[in-house]
PDB file of all heavy atoms in Angstrom:
ATOM      1  N   ARG W  99       5.867  -7.201   5.162  1.00 95.00           N
ATOM      2  CA  ARG W  99       4.628  -7.725   4.511  1.00 95.00           C
ATOM      3  C   ARG W  99       3.913  -8.637   5.497  1.00 95.00           C
ATOM      4  O   ARG W  99       2.657  -8.544   5.613  1.00 95.00           O
ATOM      5  CB  ARG W  99       4.941  -8.398   3.187  1.00 95.00           C
ATOM      6  CG  ARG W  99       3.655  -8.817   2.480  1.00 95.00           C
ATOM      7  CD  ARG W  99       3.888  -9.400   1.082  1.00 95.00           C
ATOM      8  NE  ARG W  99       4.849 -10.536   1.164  1.00 95.00           N
ATOM      9  CZ  ARG W  99       5.957 -10.666   0.398  1.00 95.00           C
ATOM     10  NH1 ARG W  99       6.280  -9.725  -0.478  1.00 95.00           N
ATOM     11  NH2 ARG W  99       6.718 -11.737   0.558  1.00 95.00           N
ATOM     12  N   HIS W 100       4.678  -9.546   6.147  1.00 95.00           N
ATOM     13  CA  HIS W 100       3.952 -10.490   7.094  1.00 95.00           C
ATOM     14  C   HIS W 100       3.253  -9.663   8.197  1.00 95.00           C
ATOM     15  O   HIS W 100       2.208  -9.971   8.560  1.00 95.00           O
ATOM     16  CB  HIS W 100       4.905 -11.411   7.647  1.00 95.00           C
ATOM     17  CG  HIS W 100       4.292 -12.441   8.455  1.00 95.00           C
ATOM     18  ND1 HIS W 100       3.547 -13.534   8.056  1.00 95.00           N
ATOM     19  CD2 HIS W 100       4.290 -12.515   9.934  1.00 95.00           C
ATOM     20  CE1 HIS W 100       3.134 -14.283   9.121  1.00 95.00           C
ATOM     21  NE2 HIS W 100       3.564 -13.596  10.277  1.00 95.00           N
ATOM     22  N   GLU W 101       3.960  -8.693   8.698  1.00 94.00           N
ATOM     23  CA  GLU W 101       3.414  -7.847   9.785  1.00 94.00           C
ATOM     24  C   GLU W 101       2.115  -7.099   9.348  1.00 94.00           C
ATOM     25  O   GLU W 101       1.038  -7.108  10.040  1.00 94.00           O
ATOM     26  CB  GLU W 101       4.473  -6.845  10.239  1.00 94.00           C
ATOM     27  CG  GLU W 101       4.066  -5.945  11.477  1.00 94.00           C
ATOM     28  CD  GLU W 101       5.044  -4.982  12.006  1.00 94.00           C
ATOM     29  OE1 GLU W 101       6.206  -5.094  11.497  1.00 94.00           O
ATOM     30  OE2 GLU W 101       4.612  -4.120  12.770  1.00 94.00           O
ATOM     31  N   LEU W 102       2.103  -6.676   8.099  1.00 94.00           N
ATOM     32  CA  LEU W 102       0.889  -6.067   7.548  1.00 94.00           C
ATOM     33  C   LEU W 102      -0.146  -7.061   7.379  1.00 94.00           C
ATOM     34  O   LEU W 102      -1.374  -6.827   7.712  1.00 94.00           O
ATOM     35  CB  LEU W 102       1.304  -5.482   6.192  1.00 94.00           C
ATOM     36  CG  LEU W 102      -0.006  -4.974   5.355  1.00 94.00           C
ATOM     37  CD1 LEU W 102      -0.532  -3.710   5.965  1.00 94.00           C
ATOM     38  CD2 LEU W 102       0.362  -4.900   3.860  1.00 94.00           C
ATOM     39  N   LEU W 103       0.123  -8.301   6.877  1.00 95.00           N
ATOM     40  CA  LEU W 103      -0.852  -9.316   6.735  1.00 95.00           C
ATOM     41  C   LEU W 103      -1.401  -9.841   8.043  1.00 95.00           C
ATOM     42  O   LEU W 103      -2.649  -9.975   8.058  1.00 95.00           O
ATOM     43  CB  LEU W 103      -0.296 -10.540   6.013  1.00 95.00           C
ATOM     44  CG  LEU W 103       0.259 -10.217   4.546  1.00 95.00           C
ATOM     45  CD1 LEU W 103       0.981 -11.456   3.930  1.00 95.00           C
ATOM     46  CD2 LEU W 103      -0.975  -9.740   3.604  1.00 95.00           C
ATOM     47  N   VAL W 104      -0.646  -9.831   8.981  1.00 94.00           N
ATOM     48  CA  VAL W 104      -1.211 -10.143  10.383  1.00 94.00           C
ATOM     49  C   VAL W 104      -2.171  -9.139  10.806  1.00 94.00           C
ATOM     50  O   VAL W 104      -3.258  -9.442  11.335  1.00 94.00           O
ATOM     51  CB  VAL W 104      -0.048 -10.312  11.386  1.00 94.00           C
ATOM     52  CG1 VAL W 104      -0.572 -10.282  12.787  1.00 94.00           C
ATOM     53  CG2 VAL W 104       0.743 -11.505  11.058  1.00 94.00           C
ATOM     54  N   HIS W 105      -1.797  -7.825  10.597  1.00 92.00           N
ATOM     55  CA  HIS W 105      -2.702  -6.655  11.024  1.00 92.00           C
ATOM     56  C   HIS W 105      -4.029  -6.846  10.200  1.00 92.00           C
ATOM     57  O   HIS W 105      -5.150  -6.721  10.787  1.00 92.00           O
ATOM     58  CB  HIS W 105      -1.998  -5.385  10.712  1.00 92.00           C
ATOM     59  CG  HIS W 105      -2.949  -4.297  10.683  1.00 92.00           C
ATOM     60  ND1 HIS W 105      -3.546  -3.857  11.982  1.00 92.00           N
ATOM     61  CD2 HIS W 105      -3.490  -3.519   9.738  1.00 92.00           C
ATOM     62  CE1 HIS W 105      -4.331  -2.776  11.683  1.00 92.00           C
ATOM     63  NE2 HIS W 105      -4.385  -2.623  10.330  1.00 92.00           N
ATOM     64  N   LEU W 106      -3.938  -7.100   8.873  1.00 93.00           N
ATOM     65  CA  LEU W 106      -5.108  -7.224   8.061  1.00 93.00           C
ATOM     66  C   LEU W 106      -6.011  -8.379   8.432  1.00 93.00           C
ATOM     67  O   LEU W 106      -7.178  -8.262   8.571  1.00 93.00           O
ATOM     68  CB  LEU W 106      -4.797  -7.214   6.575  1.00 93.00           C
ATOM     69  CG  LEU W 106      -4.187  -6.033   5.947  1.00 93.00           C
ATOM     70  CD1 LEU W 106      -3.813  -6.224   4.475  1.00 93.00           C
ATOM     71  CD2 LEU W 106      -5.010  -4.849   6.110  1.00 93.00           C
ATOM     72  N   THR W 107      -5.404  -9.500   8.632  1.00 94.00           N
ATOM     73  CA  THR W 107      -6.271 -10.679   9.077  1.00 94.00           C
ATOM     74  C   THR W 107      -6.822 -10.384  10.400  1.00 94.00           C
ATOM     75  O   THR W 107      -8.045 -10.839  10.619  1.00 94.00           O
ATOM     76  CB  THR W 107      -5.466 -11.966   9.012  1.00 94.00           C
ATOM     77  OG1 THR W 107      -4.312 -11.933   9.772  1.00 94.00           O
ATOM     78  CG2 THR W 107      -5.067 -12.423   7.560  1.00 94.00           C
ATOM     79  N   ASP W 108      -6.130  -9.851  11.323  1.00 90.00           N
ATOM     80  CA  ASP W 108      -6.743  -9.568  12.701  1.00 90.00           C
ATOM     81  C   ASP W 108      -7.866  -8.613  12.573  1.00 90.00           C
ATOM     82  O   ASP W 108      -8.923  -8.697  13.275  1.00 90.00           O
ATOM     83  CB  ASP W 108      -5.623  -9.021  13.610  1.00 90.00           C
ATOM     84  CG  ASP W 108      -4.692 -10.046  14.145  1.00 90.00           C
ATOM     85  OD1 ASP W 108      -4.980 -11.245  13.896  1.00 90.00           O
ATOM     86  OD2 ASP W 108      -3.636  -9.683  14.694  1.00 90.00           O
ATOM     87  N   THR W 109      -7.727  -7.618  11.691  1.00 88.00           N
ATOM     88  CA  THR W 109      -8.651  -6.545  11.515  1.00 88.00           C
ATOM     89  C   THR W 109      -9.929  -6.963  10.726  1.00 88.00           C
ATOM     90  O   THR W 109     -11.053  -6.546  10.970  1.00 88.00           O
ATOM     91  CB  THR W 109      -8.097  -5.307  10.842  1.00 88.00           C
ATOM     92  OG1 THR W 109      -6.908  -4.980  11.549  1.00 88.00           O
ATOM     93  CG2 THR W 109      -9.018  -4.140  10.776  1.00 88.00           C
ATOM     94  N   LEU W 110      -9.735  -7.704   9.659  1.00 91.00           N
ATOM     95  CA  LEU W 110     -10.822  -8.012   8.655  1.00 91.00           C
ATOM     96  C   LEU W 110     -11.496  -9.288   8.892  1.00 91.00           C
ATOM     97  O   LEU W 110     -12.672  -9.521   8.395  1.00 91.00           O
ATOM     98  CB  LEU W 110     -10.205  -7.980   7.254  1.00 91.00           C
ATOM     99  CG  LEU W 110      -9.570  -6.668   6.861  1.00 91.00           C
ATOM    100  CD1 LEU W 110      -8.861  -6.802   5.479  1.00 91.00           C
ATOM    101  CD2 LEU W 110     -10.574  -5.521   6.785  1.00 91.00           C
ATOM    102  N   PHE W 111     -11.007 -10.242   9.581  1.00 92.00           N
ATOM    103  CA  PHE W 111     -11.535 -11.590   9.674  1.00 92.00           C
ATOM    104  C   PHE W 111     -11.700 -12.003  11.124  1.00 92.00           C
ATOM    105  O   PHE W 111     -10.868 -11.996  11.973  1.00 92.00           O
ATOM    106  CB  PHE W 111     -10.692 -12.618   8.911  1.00 92.00           C
ATOM    107  CG  PHE W 111     -10.498 -12.308   7.460  1.00 92.00           C
ATOM    108  CD1 PHE W 111      -9.288 -11.753   7.063  1.00 92.00           C
ATOM    109  CD2 PHE W 111     -11.568 -12.434   6.547  1.00 92.00           C
ATOM    110  CE1 PHE W 111      -9.127 -11.358   5.758  1.00 92.00           C
ATOM    111  CE2 PHE W 111     -11.315 -11.987   5.165  1.00 92.00           C
ATOM    112  CZ  PHE W 111     -10.143 -11.449   4.871  1.00 92.00           C
ATOM    113  N   ASP W 112     -12.866 -12.606  11.439  1.00 89.00           N
ATOM    114  CA  ASP W 112     -13.197 -13.172  12.705  1.00 89.00           C
ATOM    115  C   ASP W 112     -12.689 -14.584  12.745  1.00 89.00           C
ATOM    116  O   ASP W 112     -12.759 -15.411  11.856  1.00 89.00           O
ATOM    117  CB  ASP W 112     -14.713 -13.176  13.001  1.00 89.00           C
ATOM    118  CG  ASP W 112     -15.340 -11.856  13.050  1.00 89.00           C
ATOM    119  OD1 ASP W 112     -14.665 -10.949  13.548  1.00 89.00           O
ATOM    120  OD2 ASP W 112     -16.431 -11.739  12.564  1.00 89.00           O
TER     121      ASP W 112
END
Side-chain angles (χ1 to χ4, degrees):
R99 183 175 56 233
H100 182 78
E101 186 178 349
L102 169 75
L103 296 173
V104 167
H105 167 70
L106 291 178
T107 54
D108 285 348
T109 305
L110 299 173
F111 303 104
D112 294 326

